[in-house]
Amino acid sequence: MNHKYVSPYVPRLAELVTARQLTSREKFFEVRLQDGSALGHQPGQFVEVSVFGVGEAPISVSSSPTSQGLGFELCVRDAGSVTHALHELPEGSTIGIRGPYGRGFPLDELKGNDLLFVAGGLGLVPMRSMINYAVDNRADFGRLTLLYGSRTPADLLFADETERWRGTPDFHVATTVDLADGAWTGQVGPITKLFGGVAINPVRTSALVVGPPVMFRFVLKSLLMMGVYESRVYLSLERRMKCGVGKCGHCQIDDVYVCQKGPVFPYTRVRKLPEAL
Amino acid sequence: MKNLDIKVEHVTRVEGHGNIVVKVRDGRVEDARLDIVESPRFFEVMLQGRSWQEASWITSRICGICAVTHSTASLKATEDAFGIVPSAQTVLLRKLLLDGEYIQSHVLHVYFLVAPDLLGVGSVVPLAGTHIEVVRMALRLKKLGNDLCALVGGRHVHPVAMKVNGFTSLPEPAGLASARERLVAARADLDATVELFKTLRIPAFTRETEYLSLKGVDEYPLYDGDMMSSDGYVFKPRGYLESIKETVVPPSSAKHVAARRDSYMVGALARFNNNHGLLHKRAKAVADAVGLSAPCHNPFMINVAQLVETVHCVEHAAETIDMLLGSGMSVEVSDVRPIAGRGVGVVEAPRGTLYHDYTYGADGMITGANCIIPTGQNLANIEADMQGILPGLLGGTEADVAQTLKMLVRAYDPCISCATHSIEVVFDRG
Amino acid sequence: MGLMAIDKRDLSAFIDGLIPQWEVVAPVPVEFKYAFRKVGSFQDVALDYTNTMLPPKKFLLPQRDELFSCNPEGGPSLTPRFDETPRVLFGVHSCDVHGIWLLDDILAEGCSDPHYLCRRSNTLIIGLDCKGPCHDNAFCKDMGTLKPAGGFDLFLTDLGERYAVQVGTGAGTALAERGGFYMADFEVREEFFAAWQKKQSGFPNRIGYDTAALPNILAESYDDIIWEALEMRCFDCGACTTVCPTCYCFDVLDENDIGTDRSIRYRRWDSCQLQDFAAVAGGANFRGKRSDRLRHRLLRKGKYFKEKFGRFACVGCGRCGRSCLLHIDVRDVFNQLKG
Amino acid sequence: MTVRAGVFAFTSCEGCSLITLEVEDRLLEILGRVEFVNFREAIDDKSDDYDIAFIDGAITREHEVGELMKIRERAAILVAMGACAVQGGLYFLKEYHEPGETLAYVYGDKAGQFDTMPVRPVSQYVKVDHSLYGCPIDKREFVEVVTALLSGRRPNIPDYPVCNECRMSENICVFERGLACMGPVTRAGCGAICPSRHVGCFGCRGMVDKPALDQHRAVLTERGLTEEEITARYRMFNGHWGSAHEKP
């Protein structure tokens, strides 16, 4: 039926091209839109993923728009009804995609700066999109630093890729875990422990922070103490983005719909939103 | 076959947990029991200290199948205790609810629980494969009964709109009118059911039995009346304790009941035998068509009597709706003032006569309660029938014997969880 | 647009004349209250009604709103659902017209909501002025909703023997051409003006200050202890948002058909006052405190929308206060915040 | 996909089991997807091989505990069905009487031959995957749970108070009729069936996860209920819930 209305709630069909277990809780998916078009996203944006008959969940896009693949990549934790169903789907299944939605990292503002990526846990998933964007446009950015904290060594995501980043010119990578096992020789402790070991030039640095809410406060404090300008700190906020188009109300903090104005916010904005942190 | 030991644990297609136990030695029946192994539930205790407003709400939970009749008996007991005579409108609505419950309960029993035996399949599930039209018809009729209950009482299992001396809210006239249309339309399904019943082979077994039921005056009695026995005596519901006696028979958690003989039967066949003259003419015609005539002493014919009653209730419900719509329903003020004393409510449940008996304090709180459930009354009679039928079966295989006994138990439509809780309570009758 | 009039005796024929072509929805009595329902005849309509239990938004944003169906065969194929039923909402009071008018803006703004807009474009709104305050806790005058400013096609004001009819849209003009309506003469205009004057003086102010100050007052009260105090009176039941003419938050769910593998995605009314409204799949609840939820609702009503659309997301109908078992009343809160 | 299911009744009126057959409109479709292989009330089969077990009834006897545990071992998914299974239900009322007297009152001098123990919900002994609330369960919700499980999603069962859907139904609040109501603390999902018929909610669906009890008591007190009347309301269907926290 041709209709003069087009519903933003009806997803585009997409194929789960590959699905592979990343950790005990996370699975990695390559997704391709059925009509062959590119997703056209910016690092830091998210999509609404539908498993038909189960529901829909907001998922950060993990691949960079610069990546050579035909589709895009998602890394999903089995945490709810939809994500669980997604984990169960075989390769080749059809899913629904809406989006990309929201505002990602401000690429124009970041250009020319040193970038300090601070990722906690699943925060590396959207951060990976931005990191690979920076790696693929290496000349556009100065020094790159990734500080990545995880619960245990087994929870570390994208280990191969982290090694590749380490080998990228002028890219410093440091990781830490909350709970070490016998084989772990790296840092143990909260992510703020890594700040002591990094050499950054605060006046040239933009800091991008993605992680669980508890992490933000300590990381912010460390960043500001290091001398990073407040205006150059960007946070990605997790909220219940149900509709993705600024209507359903679930992701609203104060007067801001995170799905519209976020999930990436400059700290200077977040500071004025008491409900943000 | 000289010796036989049968134990059927948890007879299927009945409500609640019951075991059939048979012991035959040298061709002599030494034991033939239906043990009720349902958990005891102590309703009489649960009621103590609860208020008159909650009594029917609590006792409805005795049974999920005949919750409407339990609620009705409970409300009548409370009204009896408080000296309340409910309005004609209330009585009509309650009768309509009973019709709905009978339709749903009898259809469930006849089609879902008994018909599989008569058609030689294990349950309604394979029946859906072999006799899909029969199943569809059954579902239509059952839904009609359910919807009637929902319309008047809010829902069928544990109705919400029934209260002492009235209803909390009245059904919409438009809903009643459309229910009436469906009742009339149901005649076709019932006619088809009658044709089906004519083809069924119902086991031939008779045992002369005493039948107890309400006694009708100008209407086939489901809602009220005196009690009557086919042996020719009558008694007032309030005096039931003088006429029937409950005894505990371990290990059964349900008690046995007897009147003047060792056992009696209640339920569809008892009502038919005692009141067949008061059935709707369509129901009478069905009885003739399927060969049911009073007095009938074959317990397997209970299911035929249920079909006859279903036809009666469909017609009665339509007539009741006509009366309700004809007179116009009005919101009535239901004034209730608790007084100390005892009240008895007797109603015919689909499975037989149901007694609720409460004693109230002046504050409207229950101080004593007794409920006698149809299945409890039938238990002794079921066992007597088992003893009666066994000698004729001993030539068959053990499996055949067990199957016939299961069919016999099922024919009674026992409601076992219902039956598990009661004993005579000593009332202070001053 | 212009002012017209219709004689009272002609209204019945006008409304009954709409019924074959439109689903006509109007206030009807439900015991001692009122509700908007589909009516079969003008006779069913309660012209002299006090505010309905639910506002008429339920016909534009139904409690269950199917977004699309999914058939897994050969695809799957997704079919969006749009409700194009031609509908007339008749007898809508000014406060509720304001509510719809605000929803019109909210749901058209940004990524517009076609499911709402489709219903809305097929819906005609014929308002009807109330004559006096419907309830002690109604504060429509304070919220500036005593008379409609938009969001209606026709709006009727009782002048005794006839109604003055404000025509709000072209569709309203077309409706008025169906007969019975005539251009307002000088006399009608005079009476209409007098009626308005009378209405204004008949409604008391119930907020102790000019509500223009409300956004600032709310901003300054962000950390007020009043929110904690209100906690003691809140159940998290969401009755207040359910009955609100301007609340539109929703949840999105899938429902499966058991016979086939088809499914339907639908939305249903949700409430920011429910405990899990802001909880995410991982378990974090970003507005887990009851006082924060209460504050969020009040700020939405009195600040956020005012700043964005120039109008309050509270029309002063008082429904939330009346439906709250422990009497949390927006008007009282607004008054208390000023302190 | 089809699944094998069992319906098992413990101490109950079996009304919830019956509800599974009362979805007349959908029953044939359900039977096409759900193969009932053990359902004493409806069929002869008594298979021990099933994926989903629906448990009707509370646990009131020692041997029921063993049976329940066996069912739990066999079933991939266990659904507690109805107030008795979920929260002990109405039967918990007997716990407010002295146990010995209770048996004696009903079974007289034969009381010793019947065992009974305190009424407990199913979750006291085994892990419950999903709950169907209410006395009896709601048929639409039964269909919802079945279809959700078949589709691999979590059933949509509300965790907000009855008041919410009561307002949606445009009911006149029963408090305005002068009745008492458990709606403000009781889990929705019944469509506010009792208030819709002008009856105060008795709380048969159990309480929401975090009920506003103080607020509710304040409302009941304000409407003139005595402490005893409030307690009686709370005991009706939520006795066990209370005993796990503070005995209401």
Side-chain angles (χ1 to χ4, degrees):
Chain A
M1 179 179 67
N2 275 328
H3 210 281
K4 63 176 172 165
Y5 294 105
V6 176
S7 173
Y9 305 114
V10 178
R12 289 187 278 174
L13 298 180
E15 186 191 345
L16 271 188
V17 183
T18 60
R20 118 181 108 85
Q21 201 73 39
L22 217 52
T23 71
S24 60
R25 291 187 292 174
E26 281 91 22
K27 230 169 160 176
F28 183 79
F29 301 97
E30 274 182 89
V31 181
R32 194 184 301 151
L33 291 169
Q34 245 178 28
D35 62 10
S37 63
L39 183 63
H41 71 290
Q42 299 261 302
Q45 283 191 301
F46 68 97
V47 288
E48 293 282 350
V49 178
S50 279
V51 179
F52 296 113
V54 177
E56 200 174 43
I59 310 278
S60 301
V61 181
S62 189
S63 54
S64 163
T66 53
S67 78
Q68 297 303 304
L70 288 169
F72 55 97
E73 292 156 5
L74 305 172
C75 174
V76 182
R77 176 174 290 177
D78 181 352
S81 206
V82 177
T83 51
H84 181 74
L86 200 58
H87 273 232
E88 302 281 304
L89 285 181
E91 290 181 354
S93 300
T94 305
I95 59 170
I97 297 290
R98 293 195 297 124
Y101 288 128
R103 288 189 192 165
F105 296 102
L107 300 176
D108 290 343
E109 289 173 35
L110 298 179
K111 217 167 175 176
N113 287 357
D114 292 354
L115 300 183
L116 171 61
F117 309 108
V118 185
L122 268 187
L124 191 63
V125 172
M127 195 70 98
R128 176 175 173 266
S129 175
M130 184 60 216
I131 294 172
N132 280 329
Y133 178 87
V135 169
D136 290 344
N137 295 285
R138 192 65 195 85
D140 286 352
F141 302 96
R143 177 139 218 248
L144 304 179
T145 306
L146 167 64
L147 308 180
Y148 174 36
S150 168
R151 209 164 54 92
T152 71
D155 293 318
L156 286 167
L157 297 165
F158 307 117
D160 298 353
E161 224 162 340
T162 318
E163 282 314 304
R164 187 165 67 81
W165 295 334
R166 252 188 243 278
T168 305
D170 206 18
F171 195 156
H172 176 72
V173 177
T175 52
T176 179
V177 296
D178 292 336
L179 297 163
D181 57 17
W184 181 253
T185 56
Q187 281 275 5
V188 178
I191 197 160
T192 42
K193 251 189 139 172
L194 298 174
F195 281 85
V198 296
I200 61 161
N201 180 350
V203 298
R204 293 178 42 129
T205 297
S206 288
L208 315 180
V209 186
V210 193
V214 285
M215 190 188 91
F216 285 130
R217 208 167 346 133
F218 303 106
V219 167
L220 280 168
K221 199 173 158 200
S222 301
L223 288 172
L224 300 182
M225 277 173 62
M226 286 166 84
V228 179
Y229 293 142
E230 284 189 8
S231 59
R232 291 222 191 116
V233 175
Y234 301 91
L235 310 169
S236 180
L237 300 183
E238 181 194 15
R239 284 298 184 275
R240 185 178 176 189
M241 287 159 303
K242 196 97 200 175
C243 74
V245 294
K247 293 288 180 277
C248 78
H250 286 88
C251 71
Q252 195 180 14
I253 48 179
D254 296 300
D255 58 343
V256 169
Y257 280 90
V258 173
C259 71
Q260 299 285 290
K261 305 286 182 189
V264 177
F265 290 94
Y267 175 60
T268 44
R269 179 84 186 93
V270 166
R271 213 178 39 187
K272 292 179 195 137
L273 298 173
E275 286 193 319
L277 294 180
Chain B
M1 184 165 36
K2 296 206 163 156
N3 293 339
L4 191 61
D5 284 285
I6 291 178
K7 182 155 190 199
V8 181
E9 283 212 335
H10 298 179
V11 181
T12 57
R13 285 183 275 138
V14 299
E15 199 271 0
H17 298 78
N19 299 343
I20 292 172
V21 180
V22 168
K23 187 176 172 191
V24 177
R25 287 292 173 271
D26 297 326
R28 201 173 60 83
V29 180
E30 289 191 354
D31 207 358
R33 301 196 320 264
L34 177 64
D35 286 347
I36 302 306
V37 291
E38 186 78 9
S39 303
R41 294 183 305 164
F42 311 102
F43 269 94
E44 291 88 339
V45 173
M46 285 154 55
L47 281 166
Q48 285 180 53
R50 305 296 303 198
S51 87
W52 61 272
Q53 285 131 315
E54 298 167 341
S56 72
W57 199 268
I58 293 172
T59 51
S60 170
R61 269 74 185 170
I62 292 175
C63 180
I65 294 186
C66 37
V68 166
T69 1
H70 275 285
S71 299
T72 309
S74 175
L75 298 173
K76 284 182 65 183
T78 301
E79 285 158 1
D80 186 41
F82 296 168
I84 290 168
V85 180
S87 72
Q89 174 179 298
T90 294
V91 171
L92 280 176
L93 285 168
R94 285 181 185 169
K95 286 179 175 174
L96 187 55
L97 262 171
L98 288 179
D99 288 331
E101 176 149 288
Y102 269 68
I103 295 168
Q104 120 79 29
S105 177
H106 281 353
V107 167
L108 175 76
H109 186 241
V110 167
Y111 279 96
F112 285 58
L113 310 183
V114 173
D117 281 335
L118 300 175
L119 295 168
V121 291
S123 76
V124 71
V125 179
L127 202 61
T130 55
H131 298 75
I132 183 70
E133 276 316 309
V134 174
V135 174
R136 281 190 204 285
M137 195 160 72
L139 288 171
R140 273 197 300 273
L141 288 169
K142 190 163 133 29
K143 184 173 164 56
L144 174 60
N146 261 335
D147 289 353
L148 210 51
C149 290
L151 180 67
V152 182
R155 67 183 166 204
H156 165 241
V157 180
H158 308 323
V160 299
M162 304 177 77
K163 68 170 182 180
V164 177
N165 198 19
F167 278 80
T168 61
S169 69
L170 299 174
E172 294 288 333
L176 286 174
S178 84
R180 192 193 182 286
E181 284 173 26
R182 287 172 60 194
L183 288 161
V184 172
R187 285 176 184 160
D189 282 344
L190 287 166
D191 289 345
T193 308
V194 171
E195 291 310 309
L196 176 70
F197 259 71
K198 284 184 191 164
T199 67
L200 298 178
R201 243 190 69 246
I202 288 163
F205 164 70
T206 55
R207 189 181 66 80
E208 204 273 330
T209 300
E210 177 183 2
Y211 300 98
L212 255 63
S213 74
L214 286 174
K215 178 177 166 37
V217 179
D218 48 10
E219 186 176 81
Y220 193 73
L222 304 183
Y223 179 74
D224 56 7
D226 287 343
M227 284 301 300
M228 72 174 280
S229 161
S230 55
D231 286 355
Y233 59 93
V234 295
F235 58 92
K236 293 281 176 200
R238 242 176 184 279
Y240 77 98
L241 285 174
E242 277 80 54
S243 297
I244 61 172
K245 289 275 179 270
E246 279 191 296
T247 46
V248 179
V249 190
S252 281
S253 46
K255 295 166 212 167
H256 284 198
V257 187
R260 294 193 184 170
R261 304 197 203 181
D262 290 340
S263 72
Y264 63 84
M265 185 196 284
V266 295
L269 190 59
R271 287 187 293 263
F272 176 83
N273 280 338
N274 288 353
N275 292 292
H276 55 93
L278 293 167
L279 283 164
H280 188 274
K281 61 178 189 301
R282 281 179 170 270
K284 281 183 187 161
V286 167
D288 291 343
V290 292
L292 176 67
S293 57
C296 171
H297 291 298
N298 178 354
F300 292 97
M301 290 297 275
I302 292 170
N303 307 130
V304 176
Q306 287 179 323
L307 171 64
V308 170
E309 285 194 334
T310 305
V311 173
H312 173 83
C313 287
V314 164
E315 300 301 332
H316 183 260
E319 288 171 3
T320 306
I321 289 175
D322 287 342
M323 282 194 261
L324 284 164
L325 293 178
S327 58
M329 287 173 291
S330 57
V331 178
E332 298 170 328
V333 181
S334 71
D335 195 20
V336 178
R337 277 187 207 132
I339 48 175
R342 175 175 167 236
V344 175
V346 180
V347 179
E348 284 290 333
R351 284 151 203 80
T353 320
L354 170 65
Y355 302 79
H356 279 226
D357 177 351
Y358 307 146
T359 304
Y360 280 102
D363 55 356
M365 296 293 176
I366 293 174
T367 59
N370 188 28
C371 304
I372 298 183
I373 273 74
T375 297
Q377 299 171 69
N378 277 333
L379 282 177
N381 209 60
I382 293 173
E383 293 187 352
D385 276 347
M386 284 165 67
Q387 305 211 352
I389 200 171
L390 267 167
L393 298 176
L394 293 179
T397 65
E398 189 171 312
D400 285 344
V401 176
Q403 171 64 9
T404 306
L405 291 177
K406 281 191 278 183
M407 284 173 66
L408 174 67
V409 169
R410 243 171 240 143
Y412 274 85
D413 193 6
C415 199
I416 290 172
S417 20
C418 244
T420 56
H421 56 91
S422 4
I423 196 172
E424 181 177 330
V425 179
V426 181
F427 285 98
D428 179 10
R429 287 185 212 101
Chain C
M1 302 251 176
L3 187 70
M4 300 185 78
I6 184 171
D7 290 342
K8 275 192 173 172
R9 58 169 187 273
D10 293 334
L11 188 62
S12 163
F14 169 65
I15 296 298
D16 285 336
L18 300 177
I19 287 172
Q21 202 176 338
W22 282 275
E23 176 183 300
V24 175
V25 168
V28 300
V30 178
E31 293 186 68
F32 50 94
K33 300 209 174 189
Y34 298 91
F36 278 100
R37 298 265 165 86
K38 182 183 170 185
V39 294
S41 139
F42 180 74
Q43 284 186 330
D44 302 342
V45 180
L47 290 172
D48 203 6
Y49 74 102
T50 54
N51 246 345
T52 53
M53 288 179 276
L54 288 181
K57 80 170 177 193
K58 63 181 180 174
F59 288 96
L60 297 165
L61 274 175
Q63 291 172 8
R64 178 195 161 92
D65 191 4
E66 295 184 354
L67 301 172
F68 65 87
S69 60
C70 170
N71 182 354
E73 281 161 41
S77 62
L78 311 179
T79 311
R81 301 220 168 155
F82 292 104
D83 173 8
E84 297 175 285
T85 312
R87 196 173 274 127
V88 171
L89 302 185
F90 172 69
V92 185
H93 281 170
S94 176
C95 55
D96 285 339
V97 170
H98 273 272
I100 291 169
W101 190 35
L102 190 83
L103 291 179
D104 289 348
D105 280 356
I106 290 168
L107 291 154
E109 176 253 351
C111 177
S112 66
D113 188 301
H115 302 274
Y116 176 88
L117 295 181
C118 178
R119 263 194 206 88
R120 185 66 180 89
S121 70
N122 288 296
T123 301
L124 295 167
I125 293 171
I126 305 177
L128 175 66
D129 211 14
C130 56
K131 292 170 189 162
C134 58
H135 197 273
D136 285 347
N137 76 343
F139 53 110
C140 38
K141 188 176 189 180
D142 304 274
M143 302 317 288
T145 61
L146 264 194
K147 66 174 174 180
F152 63 90
D153 297 287
L154 297 176
F155 194 88
L156 279 53
T157 301
D158 190 342
L159 301 180
E161 293 301 307
R162 57 192 162 191
Y163 293 101
V165 182
Q166 290 165 270
V167 182
T169 60
T173 310
L175 270 182
E177 283 164 4
R178 294 173 67 89
F181 293 84
Y182 50 90
M183 289 310 294
D185 53 17
F186 179 76
E187 195 182 347
V188 169
R189 287 171 189 282
E190 284 286 285
E191 285 176 26
F192 175 61
F193 184 71
W196 165 240
Q197 296 285 57
K198 188 170 166 233
K199 181 174 178 182
Q200 254 183 321
S201 58
F203 280 69
N205 277 101
R206 287 188 165 126
I207 290 179
Y209 53 87
D210 182 349
T211 48
L214 194 49
N216 278 336
I217 289 171
L218 281 163
E220 283 160 21
S221 311
Y222 200 89
D223 297 314
D224 202 294
I225 52 160
I226 188 172
W227 310 116
E228 311 261 330
L230 285 176
E231 267 202 13
M232 304 309 294
R233 287 157 52 192
C234 178
F235 292 106
D236 318 312
C237 71
C240 48
T241 58
T242 300
V243 302
C244 179
T246 69
C247 277
Y248 57 90
C249 289
F250 57 85
D251 196 7
V252 184
L253 300 161
D254 277 24
E255 186 180 78
N256 318 81
D257 183 78
I258 191 152
T260 65
D261 283 321
R262 293 176 192 197
S263 60
I264 286 172
R265 181 158 300 161
Y266 68 101
R267 59 179 169 191
R268 68 171 182 207
W269 292 4
D270 206 338
S271 167
C272 62
Q273 300 304 290
L274 302 183
Q275 285 174 358
D276 292 336
F277 184 75
V280 295
N285 188 344
F286 290 100
R287 207 176 286 114
K289 275 186 73 189
R290 189 173 284 149
S291 55
D292 290 351
R293 292 193 292 273
L294 283 159
R295 177 180 61 200
H296 183 66
R297 175 165 78 93
L298 274 286
L299 283 164
R300 277 177 72 108
K301 296 301 152 198
K303 180 173 187 290
Y304 301 153
F305 291 93
K306 179 73 174 169
E307 288 167 349
K308 192 165 181 179
F309 297 104
R311 305 205 295 277
F312 289 111
C314 172
V315 298
C317 67
R319 285 185 178 98
C320 55
R322 293 199 295 279
S323 68
C324 181
L325 286 173
L326 281 171
H327 328 296
I328 298 180
D329 190 318
V330 169
R331 175 203 52 166
D332 292 341
V333 178
F334 286 166
N335 275 326
Q336 285 157 11
L337 286 173
K338 176 76 170 164
Chain D
M1 191 179 80
T2 60
V3 293
R4 294 165 68 82
V7 179
F8 303 91
F10 290 95
T11 304
S12 76
C13 74
E14 298 198 12
C16 294
S17 304
L18 186 69
I19 295 281
T20 66
L21 302 175
E22 286 213 348
V23 288
E24 289 96 358
D25 293 336
R26 315 309 302 272
L27 190 62
L28 289 173
E29 289 163 306
I30 290 174
L31 292 178
R33 303 291 301 272
V34 182
E35 190 187 346
F36 286 102
V37 296
N38 196 327
F39 186 173
R40 195 214 60 254
E41 197 177 2
I43 64 169
D44 283 351
D45 292 357
K46 289 181 182 174
S47 167
D48 288 335
D49 176 18
Y50 39 80
D51 309 302
I52 305 177
F54 292 95
I55 307 293
D56 178 359
I59 304 302
T60 69
R61 290 205 285 184
E62 206 62 54
H63 74 90
E64 292 180 333
V65 178
E67 282 172 37
L68 178 65
M69 286 177 163
K70 270 188 237 154
I71 293 167
R72 176 67 271 190
E73 278 169 27
R74 290 169 188 149
I77 297 170
L78 185 143
V79 182
M81 187 164 73
C84 299
V86 174
Q87 77 253 29
L90 198 77
Y91 301 138
F92 198 82
L93 284 178
K94 88 172 168 74
E95 306 308 329
Y96 299 104
H97 300 269
E98 205 276 311
E101 288 173 16
T102 300
L103 267 174
Y105 187 81
V106 178
Y107 293 106
D109 56 3
K110 309 266 183 10
Q113 302 186 36
F114 297 93
D115 75 300
T116 182
M117 57 183 203
V119 173
R120 290 292 178 260
V122 167
S123 61
Q124 189 92 4
Y125 301 105
V126 296
K127 176 175 173 271
V128 170
D129 298 301
H130 299 284
S131 294
L132 274 161
Y133 300 94
C135 179
I137 59 167
D138 183 273
K139 10 183 139 167
R140 291 160 308 171
E141 225 167 55
F142 172 71
V143 175
E144 163 63 14
V145 166
V146 170
T147 49
L149 294 181
L150 284 167
S151 314
R153 65 171 168 83
R154 225 180 350 227
N156 291 316
I157 307 280
D159 179 28
Y160 47 76
V162 171
C163 288
N164 190 280
E165 54 187 19
C166 198
R167 295 295 180 188
M168 291 225 197
S169 309
E170 289 192 275
N171 287 331
I172 291 174
C173 180
V174 294
F175 281 111
E176 290 187 53
R177 299 183 190 279
L179 302 169
C181 186
M182 290 286 284
V185 289
T186 301
R187 184 185 302 274
C190 52
I193 181 168
C194 293
S196 299
R197 299 304 293 253
H198 311 179
V199 180
C201 169
F202 275 102
C204 76
R205 290 175 58 86
M207 299 203 194
V208 292
D209 284 348
K210 285 178 254 164
L213 295 178
D214 291 339
Q215 288 85 332
H216 186 228
R217 279 179 180 272
V219 171
L220 295 176
T221 307
E222 186 187 294
R223 303 314 196 265
L225 266 77
T226 63
E227 265 308 300
E228 291 74 34
E229 286 166 335
I230 294 173
T231 303
R233 273 270 155 175
Y234 270 72
R235 282 180 174 180
M236 191 86 153
F237 282 102
N238 290 284
H240 182 262
W241 188 92
S243 72
H245 302 258
E246 56 185 274
K247 204 160 183 163

